[in-house]
């Protein structure tokens, strides 16, 4: 997904570029980013609600 080109120079130089396959991820990643931004308040609310429960059952099973 990323092409790495090493140039045998002093000092060494490395170039990175996205491949055609890697470029196909752009659209789904942008969609995921947009979803995350749109739903951030919902995620934060759910996290706060979970944290405030004080769920001791999950803590007991973890130890």
């Amino acid at each position: 997904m990323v092409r790495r080109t090493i140039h045998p120079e002093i000092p060494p130089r490395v170039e990175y570029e996205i491949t055609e396959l890697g470029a196909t991820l752009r659209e789904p990643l942008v969609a995921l980013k947009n979803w995350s931004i749109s739903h951030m308040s919902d995620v934060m609310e759910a996290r706060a609600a979970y944290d405030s429960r004080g769920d001791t059952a999950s803590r007991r099973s973890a130890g």
Side-chain angles (χ1 to χ4, degrees), residues 1-3 16-26:
M1 292 186 275
V2 175
R3 183 176 299 111
Y16 296 91
E17 63 181 310
I18 195 162
T19 65
E20 287 183 35
L21 179 61
T24 66
L25 287 171
R26 185 178 312 258

Side-chain angles (χ1 to χ4, degrees), residues 26-45:
R26 185 178 312 258
E27 187 176 336
L29 289 175
V30 167
L32 180 60
K33 178 193 90 163
N34 291 338
W35 181 92
S36 299
I37 291 168
S38 297
H39 296 281
M40 182 56 68
S41 61
D42 299 323
V43 171
M44 299 303 285
E45 267 182 47

